[in-house]
Amino acid sequence: MSDIKHHLTDQLLMAYSAGTLPEAFDLIVAAHLSMCDACRAAAESFDATGGALIDDLASADLSDDSFAATMRLIEDAPMLTAPKPRKKGVLPAPVQDFVGGDLESVKWRSIGMGVKQAIIPTEKDATARLLYIPAGCAVPDHGHRGTELTLVLQGAFQDETDHFGPGDIEVADEDLFHTPVADIGEDCICLAATDAPLRFRSLLPRLAQPFLRI
Amino acid sequence: MEHLDISENGLPAHAKRRVMGADMRPQSPKGSRVPDAKIQSTQDWADHILRIRTKDQAAFKELFAHFAPRVKGFLIKSGADEALAEECTQEVMATIWRKAEMFDPSRAAVSTWIYTIARNRKIDMLRKRRRPEPEDLPWGPEAEPDAEDTFSMQQETQRLGEAIRALPEKQRQLVEKAYFGDLSHSEIAEETGLPLGTIKSRIRLALDRLRHQMK
Ligand SMILES: [Zn+2]
């Protein structure tokens, strides 16, 4: 997919490589990397940075038995091979792992005006959810206290900042109150992750007319 | 957004050469590309993994002697106590043996690959969960890594290591902390007493410099 215009930031890529992100963020980063070769290459260069650092690291003393104990572990265990590639679907492989399958396995719950969501269970330090926005509809206007990442898996949406198509990821900080509106023509499915609970501006979601591109 | 193009998975099939031998360098490198001693050593570790694929214990013992103490140091820095670090180090090293078939020297240096295995074990150890991984790129055991790609990947990684070593001490420490301290950026700020914006821009600067030196 070479049409991706909105990518991960270096900070997210480095934190993913360092293994310091909340699980929900790890998931959305892994999902974007599954769709974006450019970010995958960057992520691997951050892994190379980790490798270079570890190569320079001060050694710790091993126990006397260390090598022999490792060989015993090896004797007891089979060789590992790469897992079979999973069936291509709307959901990238790491998301399928969490959901237990592709779209048909998602248990949607309506959040009003045709918009549906499904929370993906992760550690509690951040939240991941799938969003289903019918063509032409808007997600309830909301802001958030922390960082919110939104990855388009199918269709496209427009918000106050830009237009986002398949594979694009929006990185929104807490200053952005936004109203994503799905393009006409195809229902939009997104994966969103946020590290703080969402604040909805009003309980009654409304259509954001100015952003409907009819 | 400029990215390093390192996920490129080899040349067309007709351009590929078998590289299962002990020496994976191209037989006749382009131009006057003579590997220096350090590139040679990075290359050596890739050769070691290929030998481990054939269950060569001597190769594994050498690799173990170099990497196991570093992996253990990494796990201790990440917050494991001595006993847990020792146990996890043995598991990481055993995983290296068991996954030797899956190592692609045209895509990563051995230190990079070992780092990812140790990092994943760290997440497992500290957070009791697995790290979501991106979808595998479509390559199987039948797709032999290209010798030319392998050589340049090992060389680039070597240069990255040199670039990191050449960073000013302060920048180096910050990058190291971000990787090994299990600290978020805001936690780094608390630890050093520096404002967050300064930390972020310093890390960005360090990464920028790394990238430029990689070109
Ligand atoms: Zn990207």
Side-chain angles (χ1 to χ4, degrees):
Chain A
M1 236 174 265
S2 54
D3 304 343
I4 299 176
K5 290 195 303 285
H6 300 276
H7 296 277
L8 290 161
T9 62
D10 278 353
Q11 265 149 21
L12 282 165
L13 284 166
M14 187 172 79
Y16 178 71
S17 174
T20 54
L21 288 175
E23 189 173 26
F25 280 40
D26 272 351
L27 176 61
I28 198 166
V29 170
H32 178 78
L33 297 186
S34 301
M35 303 171 85
C36 178
D37 288 348
C39 284
R40 189 194 285 262
E44 289 181 16
S45 78
F46 283 111
D47 287 345
T49 306
L53 290 171
I54 219 173
D55 213 22
D56 278 352
L57 209 60
S59 306
D61 290 335
L62 300 173
S63 73
D64 296 340
D65 185 42
S66 204
F67 183 73
T70 302
M71 290 314 293
R72 284 196 297 277
L73 286 178
I74 289 167
E75 278 161 27
D76 295 341
M79 295 298 269
L80 299 168
T81 47
K84 282 204 190 87
R86 278 149 293 196
K87 214 172 61 199
K88 276 250 184 288
V90 173
L91 304 181
V95 183
Q96 290 198 29
D97 288 346
F98 274 72
V99 170
D102 202 24
L103 276 187
E104 73 281 351
S105 308
V106 178
K107 300 197 172 44
W108 297 106
R109 285 187 51 187
S110 172
I111 55 171
M113 305 304 284
V115 179
K116 296 181 286 186
Q117 74 169 16
I119 304 283
I120 297 175
T122 56
E123 282 181 321
K124 296 221 170 356
D125 49 1
T127 313
R129 62 196 178 124
L130 287 163
L131 275 172
Y132 189 102
I133 317 166
C137 289
V139 176
D141 194 11
H142 67 281
H144 26 82
R145 275 197 291 278
T147 302
E148 187 184 52
L149 309 179
T150 309
L151 171 67
V152 179
L153 304 176
Q154 176 193 295
F157 73 80
Q158 172 85 38
D159 73 4
E160 288 82 341
T161 64
D162 211 338
H163 185 256
F164 297 84
D168 279 335
I169 188 161
E170 180 176 41
V171 180
D173 64 19
E174 55 193 331
D175 300 329
L176 180 71
F177 257 92
H178 64 150
T179 311
V181 180
D183 278 13
I184 299 294
E186 191 177 12
D187 294 349
C188 179
I189 297 172
C190 298
L191 174 66
T194 178
D195 57 1
L198 296 178
R199 296 173 289 172
F200 282 93
R201 249 182 192 170
S202 66
L203 286 171
L204 257 190
R206 57 194 161 81
L207 280 174
Q209 297 295 350
F211 298 100
L212 281 178
R213 300 185 305 166
I214 302 173
Chain B
M1 182 167 176
E2 226 9 63
H3 281 302
L4 298 166
D5 186 18
I6 59 172
S7 70
E8 191 59 53
N9 222 344
L11 300 166
H14 62 83
K16 289 191 181 228
R17 262 169 286 175
R18 289 188 64 84
V19 287
M20 287 307 285
D23 186 354
M24 298 194 312
R25 267 168 293 139
Q27 294 308 303
S28 48
K30 275 187 217 145
S32 58
R33 219 162 49 177
V34 180
D36 64 23
K38 279 194 167 158
I39 292 167
Q40 183 67 60
S41 82
T42 308
Q43 189 72 51
D44 271 354
W45 292 128
D47 293 343
H48 276 69
I49 300 291
L50 294 192
R51 284 165 61 197
I52 292 167
R53 283 184 188 174
T54 66
K55 312 239 188 297
D56 182 335
Q57 283 203 26
F60 185 64
K61 196 162 192 170
E62 285 171 24
L63 187 97
F64 189 96
H66 180 81
F67 284 104
R70 289 172 168 80
V71 167
K72 188 171 177 180
F74 164 63
L75 294 171
I76 288 173
K77 262 195 172 203
S78 305
D81 64 21
E82 161 68 33
L84 183 60
E86 175 68 38
E87 184 193 323
C88 291
T89 298
Q90 291 171 15
E91 285 166 11
V92 167
M93 297 312 293
T95 301
I96 289 164
W97 174 286
R98 295 176 64 207
K99 284 192 171 173
E101 281 291 338
M102 294 160 67
F103 172 67
D104 178 356
S106 67
R107 194 161 149 204
V110 172
S111 60
T112 308
W113 186 60
I114 292 180
Y115 167 72
T116 62
I117 293 172
R119 183 260 332 270
N120 290 0
R121 189 68 190 86
K122 175 190 90 166
I123 294 173
D124 200 29
M125 171 185 89
L126 296 175
R127 313 243 198 120
K128 310 272 182 274
R129 67 167 171 89
R130 290 183 60 190
R131 175 181 188 265
E133 294 287 335
E135 185 149 21
D136 276 326
L137 289 177
W139 71 280
E142 72 283 359
E144 292 297 346
D146 178 73
E148 200 70 49
D149 283 351
T150 296
F151 179 74
S152 51
M153 177 53 59
Q154 304 303 317
Q155 193 177 41
E156 285 303 321
T157 309
Q158 193 74 51
R159 286 195 187 132
L160 175 67
E162 283 155 17
I164 291 171
R165 249 167 264 133
L167 282 176
E169 191 54 25
K170 270 195 175 154
Q171 282 185 16
R172 210 191 109 93
Q173 278 177 5
L174 278 171
V175 174
E176 221 174 84
K177 209 164 244 180
Y179 272 86
F180 298 153
D182 197 25
L183 299 174
S184 69
H185 293 161
S186 57
E187 285 168 327
I188 293 172
E190 279 164 29
E191 173 132 325
T192 57
L194 292 168
L196 185 67
T198 316
I199 302 283
K200 281 187 177 170
S201 64
R202 279 199 202 174
I203 289 177
R204 258 200 309 271
L205 196 66
L207 290 170
D208 268 2
R209 287 186 52 165
L210 289 178
R211 253 201 220 167
H212 282 298
Q213 296 196 45
M214 286 277 289
K215 272 180 192 151

